[in-house]
């Protein structure tokens, strides 16, 4: 018990230190290079730092509130993300009940199953049951126009925003011998690596970036930023082994998997945005884009991280 | 007693509307117009005026009254309570043959009393595939009766998808409320010309016209 408290304490101090340093750097940059708010990169950096503060405080409060807190927090994230996603889809009136079911039945049910520790049904509820039930509900209204597109959009929305996102709190349900009561640290590990990888790719890209990876999808992503960001986030992941049940090498490898999934997740979500002709998923926090803009890399890495850890470390 | 619970009910309705729609106001580059005015908006849902009301700064919101059809809002005790006590609606009778009061006079006296109004010039909810139905003449007659009043176009986006007619469960989708620049009736401007000008000012605020999605 004292183990989790002292490790969590150290982690919190570390995160606070990083955020304080980031805020000071952001403030100095803003004073020196963008006093009138004209430098878009610096404004964006400061917006991100603010978003991290909010994220850190919310997750911290959720950790303090325990399992309920974590489930409620991610349940809310799923709700807000699903709302952003469905807003950009081409659903029609005939999908009304399917959408209502997605929001008010499937979403709460997925988190309730997590609360009950029902892993078996939790892992197939959306990909099997919802996948088949959603088109059944929609087809009852008899509107066939764009049917496959409409159904696929709702299924994707549920997959990304509810199924994938719920795998972050699902880390709490794993039983790892010798790691009892410390599972929240796995969530912390996942989120820290994803966010650091995002920001390190950004920083490396700004400093050394020349070769664009996918100019049509995301003009700011470069090979240099990708390699540097992934390498440094992997090293930091290895250095954080002490909060995980892994050895330093294992922690590094898992961090590598997380950052790769996160990177490609970001690309996929950008492609969807391009297709819909929007820059951001929404405006949950004014000027910061939508929740999915902050969550895109987490949702892609969470299920893979969960299943790798479950397969090799968990006894359930 | 009714007044006493009207305020908490108003807050609850706004909180609920915000939780479902995460509604956000988009102001013109010049910023919020703070003068007394008539907001005229597209109409596709019963929730329309609630969204406009919810995004207005509290100082402006406190003097805004929606204009609504009396026959609908006086139908039952609960709709009477919501229409009259909660939102202090200016109720007008839409049926020409049976009405006892002149709608333009009722609206004009609300303006004289210092209120701003929310008006839906299409007259009834838009159930068609068109973005905007032709305007009824009420907006013109009101502008002629009070020629100095500013008219602010307001485009409400997406609420028709949240709660289409006949559905009872709202779907959470992000809505925006876009405010345009205030306009006025020009002296000697004919009815058709004015209504067309107002209608295009409103249409211009629609994301579909601006070529954006959602």
């Amino acid at each position: 018990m004292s183990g989790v408290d002292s490790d969590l304490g150290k982690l919190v101090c570390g995160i606070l230190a990083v955020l304080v340093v980031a805020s000071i750097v952001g403030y100095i940059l803003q004073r020196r290079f963008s006093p009138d708010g004209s430098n878009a990169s610096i404004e964006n950096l400061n917006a991100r730092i603010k978003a991290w503060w909010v994220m850190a405080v919310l997750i911290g409060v959720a950790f303090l509130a325990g399992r309920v807190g974590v489930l409620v927090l991610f349940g809310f994230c799923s709700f807000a993300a699903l709302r952003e996603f469905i807003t950009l889809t081409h659903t029609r009136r005939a999908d009304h009940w399917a959408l209502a079911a997605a929001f008010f039945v499937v979403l709460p049910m997925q988190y309730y199953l997590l609360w009950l520790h029902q892993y078996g049904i939790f892992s197939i509820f959306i990909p099997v049951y919802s996948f088949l039930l959603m088109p059944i509900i929609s087809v009852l209204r008899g509107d066939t126009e764009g049917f496959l597109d409409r159904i696929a959009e709702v299924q994707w929305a549920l997959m990304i925003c509810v199924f994938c996102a719920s795998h972050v709190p699902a880390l709490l349900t794993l039983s790892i011998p010798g790691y009892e009561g410390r599972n929240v640290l796995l969530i912390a590990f996942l989120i820290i690596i994803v966010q650091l990888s995002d920001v390190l790719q950004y920083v490396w890209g700004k400093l050394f970036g020349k070769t664009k990876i996918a100019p049509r999808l995301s003009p700011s992503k470069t090979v240099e930023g990708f390699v540097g960001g992934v390498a440094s986030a992997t090293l930091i992941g290895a250095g954080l082994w002490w909060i995980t049940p892994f050895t330093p090498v294992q922690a590094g490898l898992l961090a590598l998997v997380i950052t790769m999934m996160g990177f490609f997740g970001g690309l996929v979500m950008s492609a969807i945005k391009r297709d819909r002709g929007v820059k951001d998923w929404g405006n949950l926090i004014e000027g910061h884009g939508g929740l999915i803009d902050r969550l895109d890399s987490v949702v892609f890495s969470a299920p893979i991280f969960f299943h790798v850890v479950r397969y090799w470390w968990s006894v359930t | 007693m009714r007044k006493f619970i009207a305020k908490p009910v108003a807050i609850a309705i706004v909180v609920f509307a915000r939780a479902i729609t995460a509604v956000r106001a988009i102001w013109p580059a010049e910023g919020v117009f703070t003068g007394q005015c008539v907001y005229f908006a597209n109409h596709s849902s019963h929730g329309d005026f609630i969204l406009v009301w919810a995004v207005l700064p509290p100082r402006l919101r406190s003097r805004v009254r929606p204009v609504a059809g009396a026959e609908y809002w006086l139908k039952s005790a609960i709709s009477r309570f919501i229409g009259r006590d909660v939102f202090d609606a200016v109720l007008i009778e839409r049926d020409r043959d049976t009405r006892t009061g002149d709608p333009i006079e009722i609206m004009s006296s609300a303006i004289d009393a210092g209120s701003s109004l929310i008006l839906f010039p299409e007259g009834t909810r838009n159930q068609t595939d068109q973005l905007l139905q032709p305007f009824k003449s009420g907006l013109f007659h009101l502008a002629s009766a009070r020629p100095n009043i500013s008219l602010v176009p307001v485009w409400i986006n997406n609420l028709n998808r949240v709660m289409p007619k006949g559905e009872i469960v709202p779907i959470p989708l992000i809505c925006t409320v876009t405010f345009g620049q205030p306009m006025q009736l020009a002296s000697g401007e004919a009815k058709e010309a004015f209504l067309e000008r107002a209608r295009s000012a409103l249409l211009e605020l629609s994301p579909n016209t601006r070529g954006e999605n959602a």
Side-chain angles (χ1 to χ4, degrees):
Chain A
M1 188 61 215
S2 66
V4 65
D5 281 349
S6 77
D7 281 353
L8 198 55
K10 278 187 233 163
L11 197 63
V12 168
C13 291
I15 292 170
L16 284 180
V18 170
L19 286 175
V20 168
V21 170
S23 299
I24 293 171
V25 170
Y27 179 74
I28 293 171
L29 284 174
Q30 205 239 337
R31 283 294 295 270
R32 288 195 51 184
F33 299 109
S34 179
D36 49 352
S38 57
N39 186 321
S41 312
I42 291 173
E43 294 305 306
N44 183 262
L45 177 72
N46 283 322
R48 280 169 188 244
I49 292 169
K50 261 184 223 148
W52 291 325
W53 273 108
V54 173
M55 219 186 289
V57 169
L58 282 178
I59 293 177
V61 170
F63 279 4
L64 284 178
R67 204 155 70 93
V68 187
V70 175
L71 284 179
V72 167
L73 174 67
F74 283 92
F76 171 77
C77 287
S78 281
F79 174 81
L82 190 61
R83 185 170 60 186
E84 285 174 6
F85 202 117
I86 300 283
T87 299
L88 293 188
T89 63
H90 296 126
T91 56
R92 290 161 63 86
R93 276 205 58 182
D95 303 314
H96 197 86
W97 279 106
L99 292 176
F103 275 101
F104 302 118
V105 180
V106 177
L107 193 161
M109 193 66 186
Q110 177 78 355
Y111 282 87
Y112 182 59
L113 293 173
L114 207 50
W115 171 255
L116 296 179
H117 283 263
Q118 292 293 325
Y119 173 76
I121 182 77
F122 163 82
S123 61
I124 60 164
F125 178 61
I126 287 176
V128 177
Y129 287 90
S130 309
F131 189 94
L132 298 174
L133 284 173
M134 289 286 123
I136 292 177
I137 299 174
S138 281
V139 86
L140 292 176
R141 291 259 182 106
D143 180 354
T144 56
E145 193 170 321
F147 188 71
L148 184 58
D149 292 353
R150 284 155 41 201
I151 295 308
E153 284 176 337
V154 178
Q155 285 166 339
W156 251 81
L158 277 176
M159 203 65 197
I160 291 286
C161 306
V162 186
F163 183 77
C164 290
S166 69
H167 279 75
V168 182
L171 290 165
L172 292 181
T173 66
L174 298 172
S175 331
I176 300 167
Y179 195 67
E180 290 81 8
R182 306 184 58 191
N183 285 24
V184 287
L185 292 170
L186 281 178
I187 298 184
F189 180 76
L190 171 68
I191 293 177
I192 289 171
I193 297 300
V194 167
Q195 294 299 323
L196 276 180
S197 160
D198 277 0
V199 70
L200 288 169
Q201 284 176 35
Y202 175 81
V203 172
W204 280 85
K206 281 275 161 203
L207 292 177
F208 306 106
K210 288 189 195 73
T211 331
K212 289 190 159 70
I213 288 186
R216 284 176 57 199
L217 284 178
S218 188
S220 58
K221 285 194 165 67
T222 61
V223 177
E224 294 79 4
F226 170 65
V227 173
V230 167
S232 42
T234 302
L235 284 178
I236 294 174
L240 279 174
W241 97 94
W242 51 276
I243 64 165
T244 71
F246 322 129
T247 66
V249 173
Q250 290 168 339
L253 283 174
L254 281 164
L256 178 66
V257 171
I258 292 171
T259 50
M260 297 292 279
M261 286 308 294
F263 173 79
F264 288 111
L267 275 192
V268 170
M269 300 309 275
S270 290
I272 298 177
K273 281 191 286 186
R274 295 276 144 158
D275 176 41
R276 291 301 135 99
V278 294
K279 204 177 131 288
D280 292 319
W281 282 96
N283 289 74
L284 190 73
I285 319 168
E286 193 92 32
H288 295 212
L291 187 70
I292 303 182
D293 294 292
R294 286 284 161 277
L295 219 62
D296 52 5
S297 26
V298 179
V299 290
F300 269 71
S301 49
I304 306 295
F305 179 64
F306 173 86
H307 282 287
V308 171
V309 176
R310 183 168 187 278
Y311 189 82
W312 273 293
W313 278 273
S314 175
V315 292
T316 45
Chain B
M1 181 62 196
R2 291 160 71 90
K3 286 285 168 209
F4 189 68
I5 54 173
K7 182 109 187 173
V9 169
I11 293 170
I13 290 176
V14 168
V15 167
F16 178 73
R18 281 187 176 278
I20 293 290
T21 66
V23 64
R24 183 168 58 91
I26 301 173
W27 306 105
E30 297 78 26
V32 185
F33 178 73
T34 52
Q36 187 191 13
C37 62
V38 174
Y39 301 96
F40 64 99
N42 59 319
H43 197 16
S44 59
S45 161
H46 281 314
D48 283 334
F49 75 85
I50 296 173
L51 283 200
V52 178
W53 200 72
V55 297
L56 283 170
R59 208 160 35 85
L60 301 180
R61 185 198 295 172
S62 59
R63 66 162 187 224
V64 168
R65 302 177 65 190
V67 178
E71 54 277 24
Y72 181 84
W73 287 100
L74 294 180
K75 225 166 20 189
S76 70
I78 182 133
S79 60
R80 257 198 309 277
F81 170 70
I82 290 177
R84 271 189 184 159
D85 299 302
V86 178
F87 292 109
D88 191 21
V90 177
L91 295 176
I92 57 171
E93 295 163 284
R94 279 181 291 197
D95 191 335
R96 242 168 231 286
D97 304 324
T98 58
R99 69 185 169 207
T100 48
D102 176 20
I104 303 302
E105 267 171 35
I106 298 171
M107 288 189 269
S108 301
S109 55
I111 289 174
D112 297 340
S115 297
S116 289
L117 302 179
I118 302 174
L119 187 68
F120 300 103
E122 291 166 275
T124 181
R125 279 179 293 155
N126 184 359
Q127 315 281 343
T128 69
D129 287 334
Q130 288 173 296
L131 280 177
L132 199 55
Q133 299 178 99
F135 280 7
K136 297 254 162 64
S137 52
L139 186 67
F140 172 77
H141 294 306
L142 180 63
S144 313
R146 295 293 178 274
N148 290 324
I149 192 81
S150 294
L151 310 164
V152 176
V154 181
W155 185 269
I156 301 160
N157 197 44
N158 236 1
L159 197 61
N160 53 334
R161 278 179 76 205
V162 171
M163 200 137 161
K165 193 188 176 182
E167 305 289 356
I168 46 169
V169 180
I171 304 295
L173 294 170
I174 296 170
C175 295
T176 52
V177 179
T178 308
F179 290 79
Q181 292 172 18
M183 53 183 285
Q184 284 184 328
L185 177 68
S187 65
E189 190 172 13
K191 185 170 104 176
E192 274 69 33
F194 167 78
L195 288 177
E196 196 42 52
R197 188 161 67 91
R199 189 166 174 273
S200 16
L202 181 52
L203 261 179
E204 238 166 65
L205 303 175
S206 144
N208 305 59
T209 326
R210 294 200 310 258
E212 294 163 22
N213 202 325

